[in-house]
Amino acid sequence: MLRLSPIIGLREELAFRSQSIEGPPYLLTKPSYNGRDQEINSFTIIGHERSGLLIVAETDDLLTQEIYHYDFGKKKLEIIYKHPEKIQLVGCSVNEERTLIAFTIKRRVPNNYAMEDLYESFIGELHVKGGCYPMGVRTNVGQRVKFLWSDVDNPNTLPKKSMAYFLYFFEEIINLYQVTYKSRPDGGVKITVLPTLKSVLGKPFTWCEWDAKRGYLYVIMPRPSKQGANKSTQEFMLRCFSFPDKKPSIFEKEEKDVTLVFETCLFIRLHNSKMDPLYLNSFNLNSYLTPVTQFMKIVHMRQNALCLCHQHKYKPDSKFVDVSIYMLHSKLKLDLQVPIPWEQNSQLEIPRILFETIGDMLLIFIPGFFLQLVDCGQDHGPCPGIVISDQDHLPVLPGYKLGVSPVATNFDVLPLTDVTHGPDLKGHTFLECRTGVVYEISFDLENFWKIFELDEPELHIETLHLAIIHIQDVDLVKSLMMYLFHNSPQNAAPGIFTEYITGSSYFELTQRLRVMTESRMERVIPITGIEMYNEYVNSFKGTKELKISPINNYSILPGGGAKSPIREKDDERRLSFPGSNSQRNSALPPLSPTPSPGVRRFFKDLLGLEDINRGMRTSSKTEKDFLEESRKWAIEVLQAQLLAQFPKEKATCAFIATEYPKIQQLQVENLFRYIENSSENRNEIDSFRLWENFASSLQELRLPHPATFTGQFIRLGYKCLPRGYLFQVESSS
């Protein structure tokens, strides 16, 4: 299902590049830099900027004097700063022009009869005569400084050439500071005004995450309690900040330093164990053995879909780890359970679950042990996705066995690719911290067929939906259907035919519409036969309970603009066709002409209409006349439904109403050919079951059979069925 492709081993790469370090001459003072013997385990990642820029430190017993940055794209290691003495660094950041540096150090200091940790942050100039200035705050809890870079989509945002902005995290407070500088004649900059406080963004905050690619800061903070409210209720505010550099409008006296993109109230079940609120991508490449208690991660998906993922604290003696997914764009919360993939043993730590996105789906992943794809993108409402815990069908990282869990953590080092149309299949990476290897996640298309070896009809339908709607590979879909019909015909349930016709018809229609209109009218056409989640459903999938609940009080602020993650409830407007689980709310106008009783029933079921004239007389028209008249009537009905929702799109409504029935019939003919072309060495019983399930799907969708279907079906039935049952089948056909 998934392929994990190693991109680079950072430990070995940094050791190799350290033999030919580049940088300013005043820092390259060691004669042993060129050709030196470098220990592989002596580098720690202390910062991670956009576009694959890693900030690393060469450590000796956790202490260092030198800071480097490694350009992932150029494969170049460059020294940028040297401290006068050895220090323990816990975080570092540089500005976009790479003229300023900010870092946090950790010291062990005596306090009465014990030792305690003391943190302090500094701002420095990257110049031979550069100074280094303390922020002036010493704390016993973690600190971090993070420079703001300009928006990747808008180069006119922060920072300006004469000043830089940075975030300062300390003692559950997040402050936005500005530092002013001027250029030096010989290059570099000189700080002219020490950091000035501009805004207080979080006080106090419980958790935060910095999105280096998009320049967003996500903060969770306790919601101010109302008078008389129950203080035990864990009610929090999730806020998203951006940092535009805009000129003041006629309504504003000052420039805007920060914009609140959106906020929402969430009920979050936090635990007594402390959650690291400064998760800003710092990793020790030697090992990463800090026990996981609870963990949160923001996952961006295509078209601004956004999920907050929460791995809860493990309950002793439980066989599962609880996970909560807040699908902000759908206003739904999903609670599920991830099975622990080994026997209970107090010496084994609980793995950190990797939350990522691929193919416009949310990936919940423990390499080698568990995989779940939650189908919660923007194209349709959330619905069940693929769940695999069979280790024979999961990718395994080298060197791991049962009882030893890999430590995979999100690690974006590839360029940002925001796909508007088409599948989001590339550029998703993670770091395995024990080995220091960066992997890229992709679909293993060559081995997709292995899923159909499993006797799980729902899994087959979800895999087919993934291939049609999310991967959008026509050749892959054809090969999957041919493999299923030829090698595992007993697993071809009626739902697989229904899903193929529904999904392929939707996909083909979208390809034709995108050259005509940008109104996204296809979003009212059925997209899948899989039942979608809703606010009141408790579903079960295997032994993993799924619970759905609404997210209320979602606020999109005027400053947020189009990037706010919110989706219209288009699924409530989808046309209700047999075989789909969509709903429609539009009323239908009176329709004419009225067809014969049999054809009227056919289209009544297709389009959800009520009988108009139950006392209609029997017509003397031929079958061909009825079919043509019914086809025109169906187009008229479908066009009326579309116009009720899109009254200004008359031409497009007429196009959809005319083409969609043709596209459906084209998919029926494709299925018919796949079954015929895969019949070699297939026994007659399996062939009859295939045709029977095919017929059942067409009956559910109220679609006509291909021209030669009935004859083949009856001939197979004559060979395979008892005569009495055959007459019943023939009569119903």
Side-chain angles (χ1 to χ4, degrees):
M1 175 60 68
L2 287 185
R3 176 186 288 120
L4 305 181
S5 305
I7 297 178
I8 191 171
L10 283 179
R11 286 163 51 183
E12 291 78 8
E13 169 69 10
L14 293 174
F16 173 74
R17 299 297 173 185
S18 66
Q19 299 178 19
S20 56
I21 294 177
E22 301 181 19
Y26 71 92
L27 294 177
L28 295 175
T29 57
K30 282 187 179 181
S32 58
Y33 268 132
N34 294 324
R36 62 178 174 163
D37 184 16
Q38 177 63 44
E39 292 290 337
I40 287 181
N41 293 337
S42 60
F43 280 98
T44 299
I45 298 176
I46 55 175
H48 183 191
E49 306 291 0
R50 198 181 64 218
S51 302
L53 182 66
L54 308 181
I55 303 176
V56 299
E58 181 186 6
T59 58
D60 180 12
D61 194 22
L62 299 180
L63 300 178
T64 185
Q65 278 187 275
E66 299 157 344
I67 301 176
Y68 310 83
H69 64 59
Y70 174 75
D71 192 313
F72 192 87
K74 298 178 180 179
K75 300 292 187 294
K76 183 174 69 173
L77 184 66
E78 181 179 349
I79 185 170
I80 59 174
Y81 181 78
K82 185 175 180 180
H83 201 68
E85 59 183 7
K86 286 193 173 184
I87 53 177
Q88 182 179 352
L89 287 168
V90 295
C92 184
S93 181
V94 296
N95 67 334
E96 192 164 7
E97 292 79 16
R98 306 183 191 183
T99 55
L100 297 177
I101 189 172
F103 57 88
T104 301
I105 65 174
K106 174 183 175 182
R107 296 190 181 98
R108 294 286 291 171
V109 298
N111 182 15
N112 295 328
Y113 299 101
M115 300 292 290
E116 66 178 10
D117 295 331
L118 188 66
Y119 296 85
E120 188 174 10
S121 298
F122 298 83
I123 301 291
E125 302 157 350
L126 296 179
H127 189 267
V128 63
K129 298 179 181 179
C132 187
Y133 311 98
M135 289 296 297
V137 178
R138 297 181 178 183
T139 61
N140 299 117
V141 295
Q143 297 186 15
R144 197 66 57 85
V145 181
K146 189 69 178 178
F147 277 105
L148 302 181
W149 287 31
S150 60
D151 189 339
V152 67
D153 297 323
N154 184 4
N156 295 321
T157 57
L158 296 170
K160 296 179 179 178
K161 291 183 178 180
S162 61
M163 62 185 66
Y165 290 79
F166 62 88
L167 299 170
Y168 186 27
F169 305 80
F170 68 98
E171 289 186 338
E172 299 184 350
I173 301 174
I174 304 176
N175 290 337
L176 174 65
Y177 280 84
Q178 172 188 300
V179 57
T180 305
Y181 56 84
K182 65 179 181 179
S183 300
R184 295 177 182 266
D186 57 345
V189 299
K190 172 67 178 177
I191 294 177
T192 56
V193 179
L194 291 178
T196 304
L197 178 65
K198 301 292 290 183
S199 300
V200 178
L201 305 181
K203 183 181 180 181
F205 74 98
T206 304
W207 170 89
C208 70
E209 181 178 315
W210 171 251
D211 183 348
K213 283 188 174 180
R214 299 165 183 84
Y216 282 0
L217 174 69
Y218 300 94
V219 182
I220 291 179
M221 58 187 67
R223 185 179 186 183
S225 58
K226 300 178 182 179
Q227 187 174 3
N230 185 359
K231 296 183 178 181
S232 63
T233 303
Q234 295 181 306
E235 197 170 358
F236 295 87
M237 296 300 297
L238 170 64
R239 291 177 174 170
C240 174
F241 297 97
S242 66
F243 303 91
D245 184 20
K246 300 177 180 178
K247 294 182 179 180
S249 67
I250 58 175
F251 302 105
E252 299 173 331
K253 296 181 180 180
E254 299 180 356
E255 294 184 358
K256 240 180 175 180
D257 298 311
V258 59
T259 297
L260 181 58
V261 179
F262 71 84
E263 66 178 5
T264 182
C265 176
L266 301 176
F267 292 89
I268 303 176
R269 179 164 54 92
L270 293 180
H271 311 275
N272 293 329
S273 57
K274 186 169 180 60
M275 179 167 50
D276 179 14
L278 301 178
Y279 178 64
L280 296 175
N281 298 320
S282 296
F283 312 104
N284 189 324
L285 293 181
N286 186 14
S287 62
Y288 193 82
L289 302 178
T290 304
V292 172
T293 52
Q294 57 181 330
F295 171 66
M296 300 183 80
K297 176 68 180 146
I298 289 283
V299 176
H300 284 267
M301 302 174 67
R302 188 170 62 93
Q303 298 176 355
N304 298 318
L306 195 68
C307 293
L308 171 65
C309 307
H310 183 195
Q311 176 182 346
H312 294 270
K313 182 181 178 182
Y314 170 69
K315 301 175 182 178
D317 301 326
S318 175
K319 296 182 179 180
F320 301 93
V321 174
D322 292 331
V323 170
S324 295
I325 307 297
Y326 299 85
M327 298 172 285
L328 302 177
H329 53 288
S330 296
K331 295 187 178 182
L332 290 177
K333 176 189 175 186
L334 171 65
D335 292 303
L336 55 90
Q337 293 179 323
V338 174
I340 298 175
W342 49 76
E343 297 296 329
Q344 302 300 309
N345 188 327
S346 59
Q347 296 180 353
L348 299 175
E349 73 261 18
I350 303 302
R352 171 182 284 180
I353 298 172
L354 178 69
F355 299 105
E356 249 301 348
T357 178
I358 184 170
D360 204 23
M361 305 180 84
L362 176 67
L363 173 64
I364 303 173
F365 189 39
I366 304 176
F369 299 112
F370 179 80
L371 179 153
Q372 180 164 355
L373 290 168
V374 180
D375 194 351
C376 58
Q378 287 279 34
D379 284 333
H380 57 77
C383 60
I386 294 170
V387 179
I388 301 177
S389 56
D390 185 345
Q391 296 184 22
D392 293 335
H393 292 82
L394 290 172
V396 179
L397 297 178
Y400 286 96
K401 57 184 180 179
L402 190 64
V404 180
S405 64
V407 182
T409 188
N410 302 82
F411 198 68
D412 295 324
V413 293
L414 299 181
L416 176 65
T417 55
D418 190 5
V419 181
T420 303
H421 298 300
D424 179 22
L425 303 178
K426 296 182 178 179
H428 307 295
T429 56
F430 69 89
L431 170 69
E432 204 294 297
C433 297
R434 295 185 192 271
T435 60
V437 178
V438 179
Y439 292 87
E440 182 176 11
I441 306 171
S442 60
F443 286 114
D444 188 4
L445 303 184
E446 296 177 358
N447 292 308
F448 250 53
W449 56 269
K450 292 183 178 180
I451 298 298
F452 290 95
E453 291 181 338
L454 303 175
D455 187 15
E456 298 183 30
E458 288 186 2
L459 184 59
H460 302 160
I461 295 173
E462 292 159 357
T463 302
L464 182 62
H465 172 75
L466 171 64
I468 297 173
I469 300 299
H470 297 274
I471 300 179
Q472 300 181 6
D473 189 328
V474 176
D475 293 332
L476 173 64
V477 173
K478 179 180 178 180
S479 65
L480 291 178
M481 300 305 290
M482 293 291 289
Y483 175 85
L484 179 64
F485 296 155
H486 184 269
N487 298 86
S488 303
Q490 69 280 3
N491 291 332
I496 203 79
F497 297 95
T498 302
E499 185 63 30
Y500 176 87
I501 296 171
T502 305
S504 296
S505 299
Y506 173 87
F507 175 71
E508 179 65 25
L509 181 65
T510 58
Q511 302 308 302
R512 301 186 187 185
L513 282 178
R514 280 179 185 145
V515 300
M516 296 182 54
T517 180
E518 297 181 357
S519 63
R520 300 300 306 276
M521 291 178 61
E522 74 274 8
R523 298 193 69 157
V524 300
I525 299 297
I527 188 173
T528 180
I530 302 173
E531 182 179 3
M532 296 184 183
Y533 293 140
N534 58 57
E535 299 176 357
Y536 310 102
V537 174
N538 287 328
S539 302
F540 291 87
K541 193 171 188 63
T543 59
K544 295 163 282 297
E545 183 177 359
L546 302 176
K547 181 180 179 182
I548 307 297
S549 56
I551 297 177
N552 299 317
N553 303 319
Y554 194 101
S555 302
I556 299 180
L557 305 181
K563 290 188 176 181
S564 301
I566 186 66
R567 180 178 64 83
E568 296 181 8
K569 293 187 176 180
D570 288 320
D571 296 297
E572 294 184 356
R573 303 162 56 201
R574 291 191 189 273
L575 306 183
S576 181
F577 287 12
S580 70
N581 291 285
S582 308
Q583 299 175 350
R584 68 179 162 83
N585 298 326
S586 57
L588 295 179
L591 299 168
S592 61
T594 305
S596 68
V599 177
R600 183 181 70 250
R601 170 60 59 183
F602 169 85
F603 285 105
K604 170 183 174 294
D605 292 337
L606 173 64
L607 299 173
L609 302 173
E610 294 297 330
D611 270 331
I612 299 173
N613 183 8
R614 297 183 181 275
M616 190 183 63
R617 295 175 298 175
T618 303
S619 174
S620 59
K621 293 182 179 180
T622 65
E623 181 180 359
K624 183 177 180 180
D625 294 334
F626 278 128
L627 289 175
E628 179 61 25
E629 188 175 272
S630 301
R631 186 186 67 82
K632 294 179 180 179
W633 182 74
I635 293 174
E636 187 178 341
V637 171
L638 181 55
Q639 185 173 354
Q641 293 191 57
L642 291 169
L643 284 172
Q645 299 194 40
F646 302 98
K648 297 181 180 181
E649 299 279 353
K650 294 183 179 180
T652 308
C653 290
F655 173 82
I656 295 176
T658 303
E659 293 299 314
Y660 186 72
K662 297 178 182 178
I663 293 173
Q664 280 187 306
Q665 198 58 38
L666 176 64
Q667 308 313 317
V668 172
E669 297 291 343
N670 287 340
L671 274 180
F672 185 76
R673 286 195 301 271
Y674 296 160
I675 299 176
E676 281 192 319
N677 296 338
S678 61
S679 60
E680 185 179 357
N681 299 326
R682 189 172 61 214
N683 65 57
E684 293 175 339
I685 294 294
D686 287 337
S687 292
F688 178 78
R689 288 173 179 169
L690 274 179
W691 290 118
E692 185 178 28
N693 290 337
F694 177 58
S696 175
S697 174
L698 296 183
Q699 184 178 10
E700 180 184 5
L701 293 171
R702 306 301 190 266
L703 294 175
H705 303 127
T708 60
F709 166 76
T710 303
Q712 293 194 37
F713 189 40
I714 296 301
R715 281 194 297 271
L716 273 175
Y718 183 81
K719 296 179 181 180
C720 302
L721 298 179
R723 294 296 177 267
Y725 184 66
L726 173 63
F727 293 144
Q728 297 178 20
V729 173
E730 184 177 7
S731 175
S732 63
S733 297

